[in-house]
Each structure stands twice: as structure tokens, then as C-alpha cells.
Amino acid sequence: QAKYLAQIILVGAQVVGRAFARALRQEFAASRAAADARGRSERPQSAAASRITGISLQEAQQILNVSNLNAEEIQKNYDHLFKVNDKSVGGSFYLQSKVVRAKERLDEELRIQAQSEKETGWKAET
């Protein structure tokens, strides 16, 4: 009887293991498809910046409450949110770090746009 019980447990563990592995593969494939779709919606340099900073352009815009990329508005909102979330005035270090990362991401996007405009201007002149 112990032999049959061990076989039942072994077969059950194999079934559960296969199901878990299949679910894991499906989740990985869905995650990759979502990342690819997100990457296709952005320019290659912008998608790379999102991967490097770990924050998307849309998320950064939401954090700093800006709808378009305007350096003055970004800086103004950054200064306000950074000061409000300062630990010394009872703010959250986590939120302050999110504000910093959002600013870095938007600054990188502004740099990418400026470089793109510069290259486009170069091509138009030649």
C-alpha cells in the first residue's frame, strides 16, 4: 500500500510540476509580447531609455504631472514635488526617489528629441 501511495504522490507532483511550468512559459511569453508592443510604440532610443531607467515616458509624465515635454514645466513640477516629499518635512523618500527617476527619464527624452531634431536639421541642409 505504501508503494501505491508513493506512486500516486509522485504522479500528482509531476502533473502539478508540468502545469506550473506551462503556466510559467505562458506568463513569460505574455510579458515578452507586452514589452515588445510597448517598445514598438516608442522610438528605438526612447524604448531603450525606458528599459535603462526602468520607467516609461508615460509614467514619468504622470508622476511629474506634465502632458507635454516642456523643460520649464518639468523643472517647476520637479522642484515642487521634490521639496514636498523631502524626508525632513515628513515626506516619503520612496516618492521623492520616484520624482527623481521621473525627472531623469523626461530629461533623457528631451535629450533624445533634441538630438533627433539636430540630425533632421543636418539631413535637411545636405
Side-chain angles (χ1 to χ4, degrees), residues 3-121:
K3 180 180 176 183
Y4 293 125
L5 184 60
Q7 286 179 339
I8 290 171
I9 292 172
L10 184 63
V11 169
Q14 288 175 343
V15 169
V16 170
R18 284 190 206 119
F20 180 74
R22 188 177 313 122
L24 194 60
R25 279 193 302 273
Q26 289 174 346
E27 181 61 32
F28 182 70
S31 175
R32 179 180 285 166
D36 289 345
R38 187 173 55 239
R40 280 191 302 265
S41 67
E42 297 178 343
R43 294 187 313 264
Q45 288 180 326
S46 184
S50 292
R51 272 189 247 99
I52 290 170
T53 59
I55 187 171
S56 71
L57 178 60
Q58 291 79 19
E59 184 181 1
Q61 287 177 312
Q62 286 177 343
I63 290 171
L64 289 180
N65 193 27
V66 293
S67 55
N68 55 6
L69 296 179
N70 178 347
E72 292 81 25
E73 183 181 4
I74 291 169
Q75 186 63 45
K76 184 183 99 179
N77 290 358
Y78 167 77
D79 290 337
H80 171 72
L81 289 170
F82 189 84
K83 190 174 13 172
V84 167
N85 289 301
D86 191 5
K87 188 106 167 126
S88 64
V89 294
S92 166
F93 180 73
Y94 172 76
L95 291 177
Q96 195 177 40
S97 67
K98 290 294 272 188
V99 169
V100 170
R101 297 297 163 246
K103 171 91 166 58
E104 288 175 349
R105 177 62 183 94
L106 292 177
D107 286 345
E108 182 65 20
E109 190 64 27
L110 286 171
R111 187 192 66 74
I112 290 169
Q113 282 186 355
Q115 183 180 11
S116 175
E117 289 171 5
K118 185 178 176 182
E119 289 174 359
T120 304

